[in-house]
Amino acid sequence: MKISKLFYSLLWIFLICAGTSRSSAQEVYANKMVDSSADFQDVYRIADASRTNYAYISNLLALLNTSYVTGRFPESGRAGSVINVRVQGTGNLLNASVLGGVTLKLYDSLGNLVETGTGSTVLNLSLLTSGTNIYNITYYSNPSLTSRIKDVRVELNNFLTVNALSQFRVYSISYQVPCPPIFATSVNGFSNGGLLTSYVSNPGNAVDAN
């Protein structure tokens, strides 16, 4: 079977700075809190130097339908940066279903909204440390845009009630910057036909920088 125009965009390698993985690239943390809803407590702790301090909302206090905090980075991240929000819930375990009540809004230095991510189709939830119930909410911003990311707003919609949580804590807001992609420039091998194999035509097109 002839396979034409195959691998044109597949033979590229996306590397992170200093050869590290996407998840371990150097992070830039929000060091200033721009605003927050009245029900968020100890908001300043998100932007302090401690990674064990946190801001929180509690079902023991009056809650708004939408709770939010907005963090500002010391320097703007570029489009394609990975946004991380470290969180923890008490009273119940977190799972991917909680992402339906989470919205991340990204703003540039002029206050313009440049991207929005909501729900489990674009947000990811992963456990950071076993036994602590501390998770990372991750959003991969769009690398095809030219915008810069100065602020990130974390919105929680009817969050504690829907997810049966006593508290929801936000430890930090950060971004990670990936390096530009490095593309393959030559073809090492490809299938060239036979009785039981298919073959690739024009393999050079996969590495011609077009």
Side-chain angles (χ1 to χ4, degrees):
M1 178 179 65
K2 181 178 180 180
I3 302 177
S4 181
K5 297 182 179 180
L6 187 63
F7 301 143
Y8 285 12
S9 61
L10 297 181
L11 293 181
W12 61 278
I13 304 171
F14 193 83
L15 299 180
I16 297 300
C17 298
T20 60
S21 68
R22 176 180 286 258
S23 61
S24 60
Q26 183 177 2
E27 291 186 74
V28 176
Y29 288 86
N31 66 347
K32 181 180 180 180
M33 301 313 295
V34 179
D35 65 355
S36 65
S37 57
D39 55 348
F40 247 106
Q41 309 299 308
D42 298 335
V43 173
Y44 69 94
R45 291 183 172 179
I46 297 176
D48 66 16
S50 173
R51 298 293 168 244
T52 60
N53 288 341
Y54 56 83
Y56 67 96
I57 52 176
S58 170
N59 63 8
L60 298 179
L61 303 171
L63 294 171
L64 302 175
N65 289 335
T66 299
S67 307
Y68 64 88
V69 289
T70 304
R72 175 165 294 170
F73 301 116
E75 56 190 66
S76 297
R78 67 170 182 260
S81 295
V82 183
I83 307 301
N84 297 305
V85 183
R86 285 175 176 78
V87 300
Q88 183 183 42
T90 68
N92 199 7
L93 295 176
L94 299 181
N95 56 62
S97 66
V98 306
L99 297 175
V102 178
T103 299
L104 300 186
K105 294 182 177 179
L106 282 52
Y107 297 86
D108 64 17
S109 60
L110 298 178
N112 299 309
L113 179 65
V114 294
E115 281 194 65
T116 300
T118 303
S120 59
T121 57
V122 294
L123 303 178
N124 297 293
L125 183 73
S126 57
L127 181 64
L128 282 179
T129 307
S130 178
T132 64
N133 202 29
I134 297 178
Y135 287 79
N136 202 38
I137 296 176
T138 304
Y139 174 66
Y140 298 93
S141 63
N142 189 345
S144 66
L145 300 178
T146 59
S147 53
R148 306 284 287 182
I149 304 166
K150 186 64 172 179
D151 298 342
V152 172
R153 173 167 163 149
V154 182
E155 290 187 356
L156 308 170
N157 301 299
N158 296 313
F159 201 76
L160 297 186
T161 302
V162 171
N163 298 295
L165 295 170
S166 301
Q167 276 190 9
F168 187 74
R169 303 167 177 175
V170 178
Y171 285 83
S172 63
I173 302 171
S174 64
Y175 70 80
Q176 296 169 276
V177 182
C179 288
I182 297 177
F183 294 89
T185 57
S186 62
V187 176
N188 186 52
F190 61 95
S191 58
N192 56 9
L195 293 177
L196 300 177
T197 61
S198 55
Y199 68 94
V200 176
S201 61
N202 302 320
N205 287 350
V207 293
D208 65 355
N210 184 347

